[in-house]
């Protein structure tokens, strides 16, 4: 297992669940304090550790986590990111994750996704693309096979 500081620095001191900042000096016993979420990534028991607030880490055991898309992004029919992350981690490949009315909106969504996936699935190299299609722009996530 990695130390809290190593995981936190890699994740930019942001919680993988809520994507809000985690304060380094906060007590690990405080609900907004830092904790390391170690989860089994696949049946071969690889561990992917991620930084989370203590409350976010505790809550995910009782409630199905939904990774929210920010309201500032103009996306239509955004994909459920946890499902996409699990599928890409397991099988690799390419998935369309959103439609946007303009290239600028799609690029903003793609940039946010690339950053968000560094905390959502650490170590999974994903790339984003923006493609025109049907009068709109499609945002895709891709990764190699794991």
């Amino acid at each position: 297992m990695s130390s809290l500081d190593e995981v936190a620095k890699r994740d930019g001191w942001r919680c993988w669940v809520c994507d809000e900042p985690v304060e380094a000096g906060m007590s690990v016993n405080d609900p907004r304090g830092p904790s390391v979420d170690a989860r089994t990534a696949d049946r071969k028991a690889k561990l992917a550790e991620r930084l989370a607030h203590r409350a976010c880490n505790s809550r995910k055991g009782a409630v199905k986590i939904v990774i929210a898309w920010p309201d500032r992004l103009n996306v239509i029919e955004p994909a459920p990111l946890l499902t996409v992350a699990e599928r890409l981690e397991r099988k690799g490949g390419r998935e369309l994750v959103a439609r946007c009315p303009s290239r600028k909106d799609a690029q903003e969504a793609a940039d946010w996704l690339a950053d968000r996936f560094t905390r959502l699935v650490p170590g999974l190299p994903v790339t984003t693309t923006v493609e025109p299609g049907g009068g709109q722009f499609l945002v895709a996530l891709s990764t190699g096979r794991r």
Side-chain angles (χ1 to χ4, degrees), residues 86-145:
E86 290 168 354
R87 217 173 6 246
L88 287 175
E89 189 175 28
R90 189 176 65 250
K91 297 173 20 177
R94 177 178 176 272
E95 294 220 14
L96 294 175
V97 294
R99 296 182 296 129
C100 298
S102 73
R103 181 175 292 281
K104 181 180 180 276
D105 292 331
Q107 191 58 57
E108 287 175 5
D111 293 344
W112 176 80
L113 279 168
D115 176 61
R116 189 67 174 96
F117 263 70
T118 64
R119 289 178 298 287
L120 193 57
V121 190
L124 181 68
V126 296
T127 56
T128 58
T129 55
V130 173
E131 305 162 9
Q136 57 197 349
F137 293 87
L138 307 173
V139 180
L141 275 172
S142 303
T143 188
R145 253 179 117 59

Side-chain angles (χ1 to χ4, degrees), residues 3-78:
S3 76
L4 173 65
D5 283 338
E6 289 171 355
V7 173
K9 285 177 185 171
R10 184 204 61 218
D11 291 352
W13 287 96
R14 294 188 76 80
C15 176
W16 80 268
V17 177
C18 69
D19 206 34
E20 294 293 321
V22 177
E23 289 187 39
M26 181 127 350
S27 168
V28 295
N29 296 318
D30 187 285
R32 298 290 295 170
S35 71
V36 174
D37 174 28
R39 66 180 178 91
T40 302
D42 62 23
R43 297 193 195 282
K44 295 177 185 171
K46 293 179 186 175
L47 289 180
E49 299 167 323
R50 304 174 286 192
L51 182 69
H53 292 111
R54 168 80 48 212
C56 291
N57 200 359
S58 298
R59 185 176 59 242
K60 74 176 184 56
V63 179
K64 182 172 170 96
I65 296 294
V66 175
I67 304 300
W69 288 71
D71 292 335
R72 65 179 170 77
L73 296 176
N74 190 6
V75 294
I76 302 161
E77 296 179 359

